Amino acid sequence: MSDKPLIYLASASPRRRELLGQIGIPFERIACEIDETPLPGEAARPYVERLARAKAAAGIAAARAAGLPTRLLLAADTTVALEGQILGKPIDAADARAMLAQLSGSTHEVLTGVAISDGQRCEYQLSCSMVRFRQLSAAEIAAYVASGEPLDKAGSYGAQGLGAVLIEEIRGSFSGVVGLPLAETVALLQRFDYPFWPA
């Protein structure tokens, strides 16, 4: 049993749940849905921030509507950007294959925005990592998409799973690429005096 205070997690991502568990932060998941469609002409960094903050606000509203106790709430959004183009979750297998073909042999950004709210104020931090893919053959792309792993992930790959074999180099936060940058998350929690380290 953790001696750290319970927080709310406004995310259905199993990767975020695993990462919070890795650093011993207890959480209760809050279900909330928002429209993740980019606005016309919206750049990747403002997009990630808008979604992370919107998820935090929706999570706080859901907790209040359910009559839950007031606690810190964490929300996050991860987006892949290639030459300024936002690559979200693929709509189908063909879309996933097309994204992976774009990423093949190139370097892209993985942006994860983290927002923490106490219901009164919301603090935000961005993690930006650079990821380089090796050159992929059409057969490799097809086989990876057939595994099913890419279909619910931004940019159509998961660095923590089979997708690791596609990656030549990561510069930045590995946990940020997976979906929750842990250094930034703990720094944000500490802005709210969350006792991460035992006294």
Side-chain angles (χ1 to χ4, degrees):
M1 185 76 177
S2 175
D3 57 354
K4 298 183 179 72
L6 185 75
I7 69 168
Y8 296 130
L9 173 65
S11 174
S13 164
R15 275 83 53 192
R16 294 190 181 118
R17 296 199 296 269
E18 288 166 8
L19 287 164
L20 283 177
Q22 178 183 319
I23 59 173
I25 293 180
F27 62 88
E28 178 180 339
R29 195 171 78 79
I30 297 287
C32 60
E33 295 292 330
I34 66 162
D35 183 356
E36 299 189 10
T37 307
L39 300 175
E42 188 172 30
R45 292 186 184 214
Y47 169 75
V48 166
E49 179 170 0
R50 178 174 64 82
L51 262 56
R53 289 183 181 276
K55 289 176 182 179
I60 290 288
R64 285 177 175 158
L68 296 174
T70 300
R71 304 185 192 280
L72 292 180
L73 179 138
L74 183 153
D77 186 73
T78 300
T79 292
V80 169
L82 178 64
E83 297 174 356
Q85 178 189 359
I86 294 170
L87 300 182
K89 295 176 184 176
I91 56 172
D92 56 23
D95 193 29
R97 288 193 295 272
M99 281 192 206
L100 291 164
Q102 283 183 276
L103 296 174
S104 173
S106 66
T107 299
H108 59 272
E109 282 187 311
V110 179
L111 304 168
T112 297
V114 182
I116 294 179
S117 175
D118 62 1
Q120 302 299 316
R121 79 181 207 269
C122 183
E123 296 280 345
Y124 173 81
Q125 196 157 338
L126 175 70
S127 167
C128 177
S129 300
M130 305 303 294
V131 178
R132 178 166 183 80
F133 270 24
R134 62 182 177 81
Q135 197 70 43
L136 307 176
S137 69
E140 284 179 306
I141 290 172
Y144 179 51
V145 172
S147 77
E149 184 177 273
L151 299 179
D152 67 340
K153 294 175 178 62
S156 300
Y157 74 95
Q160 76 289 347
L162 183 58
V165 304
L166 313 178
I167 298 169
E168 279 187 342
E169 181 184 13
I170 294 176
R171 298 195 306 277
S173 167
F174 175 75
S175 60
V177 172
V178 173
L180 187 68
L182 295 179
E184 288 84 350
T185 295
V186 170
L188 279 178
L189 285 167
Q190 289 176 324
R191 291 188 202 174
F192 290 91
D193 299 320
Y194 184 91
F196 179 75
W197 299 108

